Amino acid sequence: MNPSYSINKGDVEEVRECPICKSNDILKISEISINKVVEPIVFFETSACKKCNHIFRSKRPKEKWFFDKFEERRKYQDKKSFNPINEKVEIDRFNRYKELGIFLDKKLSQSLRNRKVFDFGCGTGSGLIALNELGFDAVGIEPDLTRANYGLKKDLNILTLPWEKVKEELKSASLILSIHSLEHFYHPVNFIKHIYEHTKQDCYLYLEVPNSSFINDWTDSFYLAHINNFSNHSLIKMLKKQGYFLHSLIPTENIFSNPLNSICGIFSKKKPEIDINFKTNQDLKIDYYNPPISYVEKPYKFIVDVINDLSLTYRIEEKVSSSVTKNQSGRKLKIDNNFICLY
């Protein structure tokens, strides 16, 4: 049985402007409440910026709540001798990093062999193994000890620090990686600014995030782990505002044999010989999520009885599957007093 995580009004914060362009012209898409005895508490809300198409959580648990609950989860897993690592996922991660490393070593103007590469949000470190095998000098940053310990036991170079604490080490970096981690950050603009300020002029930045154009299902409304959903436009706008130039925007099928619906971008501090002035005519999708069951009223109002997963809000099985879709399986919806109940 999954553990449950309590939440109160004081654990929740609101964001009333777009974190990328600071516009307050935003559209609320959905909200999730927890079914308290006295009154429901809205603890997770998704909105879209009408100016730059950025999708973000306009109401969310505070970072401290997550850190406290991560520690609760770690103690629970230790007590049960529960293994949260799925080996198939780690094999897939290793293979993707190997393909990415080969691609970047050919794509960039300087070889990455024997050069420092920092991977923010490295997780278990399986990707670091692949990069090291290619001849890179890979360093991981992962504050989640549950995941970092997997790699530390294999003698990988993993710093278990918040990204704000990693400064002097970055001066030696030739490449910074952030692979499906930026969407988890509460303050992505501050992270990009931090990387820009603490790396040398010829250091490249590779970012890979889910493409919000493909997030068209109501289940994203429950994805607690994702604080930001970037479009091409909002991602590049954020980087350019902090001084970066777009080096390349790469279709995932050009890198990976098993591509995901992701945005893959290389950014540099130096202006490329051919300046890529990326523009988008992507319109904001007002009905962004596929409607849950036959419910039509917007914003969608969901309710849950319990939070038992720190990534997906609620799931049926405790066992960790190899994909988000499989971890979501078994969840059902029903209408009750104008709420969509997840159970």
Side-chain angles (χ1 to χ4, degrees):
M1 184 176 180
N2 294 329
S4 60
Y5 305 101
S6 62
I7 193 165
N8 298 300
K9 281 187 177 180
D11 297 319
V12 180
E13 64 184 16
E14 292 188 62
V15 179
R16 287 304 169 207
E17 64 179 17
C18 173
I20 303 303
C21 72
K22 302 302 180 184
S23 171
N24 57 13
D25 188 8
I26 59 178
L27 172 75
K28 184 163 79 169
I29 298 171
S30 66
E31 64 179 42
I32 306 176
S33 303
I34 190 158
N35 198 4
K36 292 284 188 177
V37 175
V38 180
E39 63 175 320
I41 295 174
V42 178
F43 66 92
F44 207 53
E45 179 183 280
T46 300
S47 294
C49 175
K50 294 183 180 180
K51 184 176 180 182
C52 74
N53 291 6
H54 187 62
I55 311 294
F56 63 100
R57 312 308 183 184
S58 46
K59 190 170 284 188
R60 61 205 188 183
K62 295 176 181 176
E63 277 189 289
K64 185 181 183 306
W65 182 88
F66 272 108
F67 292 144
D68 290 344
K69 300 310 173 185
F70 286 150
E71 182 62 15
E72 281 184 29
R73 183 180 65 182
R74 185 189 66 78
K75 290 178 179 178
Y76 170 83
Q77 291 171 346
D78 287 348
K79 187 177 180 179
K80 286 196 65 177
S81 298
F82 176 76
N83 181 15
I85 307 301
N86 185 297
E87 292 298 336
K88 183 181 182 304
V89 171
E90 298 313 315
I91 292 171
D92 290 344
R93 191 194 310 275
F94 173 90
N95 291 332
R96 291 190 86 252
Y97 268 74
K98 189 170 184 179
E99 290 178 326
L100 176 63
I102 292 170
F103 177 86
L104 291 175
D105 194 45
K106 293 178 180 178
K107 180 74 174 177
L108 301 180
S109 59
Q110 57 184 12
S111 174
L112 295 171
R113 310 291 166 135
N114 300 315
R115 292 179 181 268
K116 275 278 194 299
V117 176
F118 285 77
D119 181 20
F120 281 83
C122 71
T124 60
S126 297
L128 302 181
I129 298 174
L131 298 177
N132 286 334
E133 287 187 4
L134 292 172
F136 305 172
D137 186 359
V139 182
I141 293 88
E142 180 54 64
D144 184 350
L145 283 174
T146 302
R147 307 184 75 204
N149 282 336
Y150 180 91
L152 290 171
K153 290 176 181 177
K154 297 185 176 184
D155 294 324
L156 295 174
N157 189 357
I158 298 178
L159 306 176
T160 56
L161 299 171
W163 59 260
E164 297 93 337
K165 301 290 186 182
V166 185
K167 298 178 181 179
E168 290 299 314
E169 297 89 343
L170 296 181
K171 291 180 180 179
S172 62
S174 294
L175 172 67
I176 303 294
L177 302 175
S178 175
I179 300 172
H180 287 270
S181 60
L182 192 65
E183 63 271 18
H184 298 266
F185 290 3
Y186 269 59
H187 305 288
V189 173
N190 292 350
F191 172 73
I192 297 301
K193 183 178 180 181
H194 179 88
I195 297 301
Y196 190 93
E197 290 178 348
H198 291 96
T199 53
K200 55 190 179 182
Q201 191 66 15
D202 62 352
C203 178
Y204 288 97
L205 171 62
Y206 173 83
L207 296 176
E208 185 177 330
V209 295
N211 189 336
S212 65
S213 297
F214 293 96
I215 303 172
N216 60 359
D217 192 274
W218 60 267
T219 55
D220 177 72
S221 293
F222 288 87
Y223 209 155
L224 272 180
H226 283 186
I227 302 301
N228 292 279
N229 288 328
F230 293 92
S231 64
N232 284 332
H233 182 71
S234 67
L235 182 69
I236 294 169
K237 183 181 182 69
M238 177 179 69
L239 270 291
K240 285 192 170 184
K241 196 170 182 179
Q242 298 307 315
Y244 276 103
F245 293 96
L246 176 62
H247 179 281
S248 304
L249 199 63
I250 312 140
T252 55
E253 58 268 21
N254 289 6
I255 307 175
F256 305 109
S257 56
N258 185 23
L260 302 173
N261 292 323
S262 302
I263 302 170
C264 304
I266 302 173
F267 298 87
S268 64
K269 295 182 181 181
K270 295 180 180 180
K271 187 174 182 179
E273 292 182 9
I274 301 175
D275 188 21
I276 303 174
N277 186 20
F278 184 85
K279 294 181 180 180
T280 179
N281 58 1
Q282 176 188 5
D283 293 326
L284 178 66
K285 298 176 182 178
I286 302 301
D287 189 8
Y288 197 80
Y289 299 94
N290 288 338
I293 50 181
S294 59
Y295 194 81
V296 293
E297 184 180 339
K298 302 166 190 171
Y300 301 130
K301 294 183 179 181
F302 298 96
I303 195 164
V304 293
D305 288 328
V306 65
I307 301 171
N308 69 5
D309 189 274
L310 296 178
S311 289
L312 305 173
T313 302
Y314 177 80
R315 62 190 178 100
I316 304 297
E317 294 186 4
E318 185 174 21
K319 181 182 176 181
V320 180
S321 298
S322 58
S323 71
V324 170
T325 301
K326 289 181 179 178
N327 282 321
Q328 292 172 337
S329 64
R331 301 192 304 184
K332 299 178 181 179
L333 297 174
K334 65 180 179 181
I335 300 293
D336 185 11
N337 293 328
N338 291 324
F339 282 103
I340 311 172
C341 304
L342 183 71
Y343 66 100

